[in-house]
């Protein structure tokens, strides 16, 4: 079933019942997202949280329930589905079959409690090295989803720029949306443009932007583009606003480096969920920025459109052609250490391999076949993460 078929099906289903949203992984992203969903006071959604340890999940759910009730916002039912092992496809499949969610959010992490970028950026400035770790649980969840015959719309949280294309290239089912990455940079640009042009309602600035994860990081951290011309168009009330190097420099703002940063990723998930529900329930149209959409490498402007006879979602080609955006994303993701994703295989750049060898005295494989994901993920943990944490 295609994404647009899923949207049409969901519109019909929600005419007679509540929407069921499943959050897989209740770490910091999942907890923030749960809190944000509760803040909507939406009586027409049910939330299922999925994880391994009931006691921990119960505590996390209880604090969100009580805090939202203090704010008089607790109007949504939450169900805990524990004892789900993300290494076990059958375990995940049972949870999906039992609850039949309409929207599934994968916020799990193969190595929890660590911001991978804290290792990669200081050593080799390439986040793409972590792709095998990012896809490790995603591939299990999507296999379970397919086995269950689910019609849910799936949102992936971890490095979708390469994870979703990898799944598609392997002929597997793949998430419909990716959250985060480029979507974290767009608000910074809006604030920079607002300050430059004396605009008080910065939320009404419209951005159309195609770029991969590397530039989200380098612009956010350093306020520069590494000399790569950006594929971006901004306008306010029908008038174009030039996005100059000065605007990118203004994107370098003080931010926490711990798990509080996951407020942004949770917010990206929230925006996509609201875009879906607003399209199928209220006929609204929303533009978001998504990595990996439709299995394409990098990040794209995506429209979730419920304004017509049938809801649909598509890449916005009003400012740039799809091929132009694909080419620009490949240029960007190359700097993140990814040379290509094709034929079930991830290819690292020679530059990244050399940097890893220099910093960790370990040879990263040039290519990783889909069948070698788990083995390579463990090698990265053993030879990079564990070594870095011991320093």
């Amino acid at each position: 079933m295609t994404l647009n078929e899923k949207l049409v099906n969901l519109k019909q289903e929600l005419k007679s019942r509540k929407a069921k949203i499943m959050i897989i992984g209740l770490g910091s992203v999942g907890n923030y997202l749960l809190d944000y969903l509760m803040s909507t006071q939406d009586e027409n959604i049910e939330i299922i949280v999925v994880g391994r340890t009931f006691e921990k999940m119960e505590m996390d759910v209880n604090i969100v329930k009580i805090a939202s009730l203090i704010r008089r916002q607790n109007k949504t039912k939450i169900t805990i589905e524990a004892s789900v092992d993300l290494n076990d496809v059958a375990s995940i499949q049972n949870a999906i079959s039992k609850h039949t969610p309409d929207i599934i959010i994968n916020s799990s992490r193969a190595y929890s409690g660590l911001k991978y970028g804290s290792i990669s950026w200081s050593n080799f400035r390439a986040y793409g090295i972590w792709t095998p770790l990012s896809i490790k649980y995603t591939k299990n969840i999507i296999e379970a989803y397919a086995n269950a015959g689910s019609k849910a719309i799936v949102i992936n949280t971890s490095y979708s720029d390469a994870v979703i294309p990898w799944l598609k290239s392997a002929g597997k089912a793949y998430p419909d949306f990716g959250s985060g990455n480029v979507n974290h940079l767009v608000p910074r640009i809006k604030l920079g443009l607002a300050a430059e042009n004396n605009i008080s309602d910065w939320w009404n600035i419209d951005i159309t932007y195609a770029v991969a994860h590397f530039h989200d990081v380098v612009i956010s951290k350093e306020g520069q583009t590494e000399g790569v011309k950006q594929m971006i168009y901004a306008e306010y009330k029908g008038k174009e606003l030039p996005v100059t190097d000065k605007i990118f420099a203004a994107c370098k703002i003080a931010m926490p480096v711990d798990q509080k940063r996951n407020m942004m990723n949770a917010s990206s998930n929230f925006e996509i969920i609201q875009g879906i529900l607003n399209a199928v329930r209220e006929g609204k149209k929303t533009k978001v920025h998504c990595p990996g959409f439709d299995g394409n490498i990098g990040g794209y402007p995506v429209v979730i459109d419920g304004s017509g006879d049938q809801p649909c979602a598509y890449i916005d080609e009003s400012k740039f052609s799809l091929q132009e955006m694909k080419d620009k994303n490949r240029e960007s993701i190359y700097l993140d250490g990814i040379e290509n994703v094709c034929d079930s295989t991830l290819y690292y750049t020679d530059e990244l391999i050399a940097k890893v060898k220099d910093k960790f005295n370990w040879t990263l494989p040039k290519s990783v076949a889909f069948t070698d994901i788990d083995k390579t993920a463990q090698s990265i943990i053993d030879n990079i993460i564990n070594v870095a944490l011991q320093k």
Side-chain angles (χ1 to χ4, degrees):
M1 181 176 279
T2 67
L3 170 56
N4 288 342
E5 288 171 338
K6 293 177 190 177
L7 288 166
V8 172
N9 176 72
L10 185 57
K11 180 177 181 177
Q12 288 299 119
E13 288 288 319
L14 297 190
K15 289 178 179 179
S16 57
R17 63 170 176 82
K18 297 180 179 182
K20 292 189 284 186
I21 300 171
M22 176 177 281
I23 302 173
I24 300 180
L26 204 58
S28 57
V29 172
N31 268 292
Y32 282 128
L33 177 59
L34 181 61
D35 190 39
Y36 300 160
L37 289 171
M38 293 295 282
S39 73
T40 64
Q41 306 180 60
D42 192 339
E43 299 177 66
N44 290 310
I45 62 172
E46 300 176 4
I47 303 171
I48 306 102
V49 294
V50 174
R52 178 177 292 184
T53 308
F54 179 83
E55 290 76 13
K56 176 188 178 300
M57 295 174 70
E58 183 183 41
M59 288 191 293
D60 288 341
V61 167
N62 282 344
I63 196 167
V64 170
K65 280 183 175 179
I66 299 304
S68 62
L69 190 53
I70 292 170
R71 301 191 303 265
R72 302 175 186 270
Q73 295 175 331
N74 188 339
K75 297 182 180 180
T76 302
K77 178 183 177 183
I78 304 175
T79 301
I80 299 173
E81 182 62 44
S83 302
V84 176
D85 182 356
L86 297 184
N87 288 301
D88 180 9
V89 172
S91 176
I92 308 166
Q93 181 181 339
N94 289 339
I96 294 173
S97 296
K98 177 180 176 180
H99 295 282
T100 59
D102 299 301
I103 299 173
I104 297 173
I105 302 93
N106 169 32
S107 65
S108 64
R109 289 176 65 82
Y111 197 105
S112 61
L114 173 70
K115 295 296 290 181
Y116 300 149
S118 65
I119 296 174
S120 56
W121 196 254
S122 60
N123 285 292
F124 33 78
R125 291 168 65 87
Y127 195 93
I129 189 172
W130 310 115
T131 312
L133 280 168
S134 297
I135 199 174
K136 179 178 169 64
Y137 285 161
T138 308
K139 68 178 176 59
N140 292 346
I141 291 167
I142 210 71
E143 182 179 348
Y145 160 89
N147 291 347
S150 177
K151 298 178 181 178
I153 296 168
V154 182
I155 305 170
N156 183 61
T157 296
S158 186
Y159 202 60
S160 295
D161 301 71
V163 164
I164 297 178
W166 200 353
L167 285 161
K168 185 176 183 179
S169 81
K172 308 294 183 181
Y174 54 91
D176 301 287
F177 293 93
S179 74
N181 299 358
V182 62
N183 207 39
H184 298 167
L185 184 55
V186 168
R188 296 170 183 256
I189 295 170
K190 288 186 178 183
L191 291 175
L193 286 168
E196 178 72 11
N197 295 278
N198 296 314
I199 296 171
S200 58
D201 55 336
W202 55 83
W203 51 90
N204 286 321
I205 296 173
D206 184 67
I207 302 286
T208 304
Y209 196 14
V211 76
H213 177 268
F214 177 84
H215 280 94
D216 162 42
V217 178
V218 76
I219 294 171
S220 298
K221 281 182 174 290
E222 300 177 5
Q224 55 95 13
T225 65
E226 209 77 357
V228 176
K229 181 176 175 57
Q230 298 298 286
M231 185 162 286
I232 185 168
Y233 184 89
E235 63 181 330
Y236 175 70
K237 296 183 177 178
K239 178 183 177 183
E240 182 178 1
L241 300 175
V243 183
T244 62
D245 287 344
K246 183 178 180 181
I247 300 301
F248 289 124
C251 292
K252 182 184 177 183
I253 59 178
M255 294 283 280
V257 295
D258 60 12
Q259 292 189 359
K260 288 191 292 292
R261 287 180 60 85
N262 285 331
M263 290 175 122
M264 294 189 297
N265 214 325
S267 296
S268 292
N269 280 290
F270 178 83
E271 182 185 37
I272 295 168
I273 293 167
Q274 290 301 105
I276 292 167
L277 293 179
N278 287 340
V280 300
R281 296 197 302 196
E282 302 176 35
K284 292 184 177 180
K285 183 177 181 179
T286 306
K287 181 163 69 177
V288 297
H289 283 82
C290 290
F293 185 79
D294 197 29
N296 291 298
I297 294 171
Y300 298 83
V302 174
V303 176
I304 308 171
D305 190 355
S307 62
D309 294 335
Q310 295 185 330
C312 60
Y314 53 88
I315 293 175
D316 180 3
E317 297 184 63
S318 63
K319 306 302 179 186
F320 313 107
S321 72
L322 179 57
Q323 190 59 53
E324 286 177 315
M325 291 187 275
K326 286 182 176 182
D327 292 344
K328 181 57 65 174
N329 271 295
R330 285 182 176 273
E331 183 180 10
S332 177
I333 206 168
Y334 188 94
L335 296 174
D336 225 15
I338 303 296
E339 183 176 289
N340 203 359
V341 183
C342 61
D343 301 325
S344 305
T345 305
L346 174 83
Y347 294 89
Y348 289 120
T349 65
D350 293 339
E351 291 87 339
L352 175 59
I353 293 169
K355 289 174 183 176
V356 171
K357 181 67 174 179
D358 178 60
K359 293 290 183 178
F360 289 91
N361 195 30
W362 177 61
T363 302
L364 186 69
K366 174 64 179 179
S367 61
V368 182
F370 193 84
T371 52
D372 290 335
I373 286 171
D374 289 353
K375 180 179 70 175
T376 306
Q378 189 59 51
S379 293
I380 291 171
I381 291 172
D382 294 339
N383 293 285
I384 296 181
I385 292 179
N386 290 343
V387 172
L389 294 179
Q390 289 169 6
K391 289 182 178 180

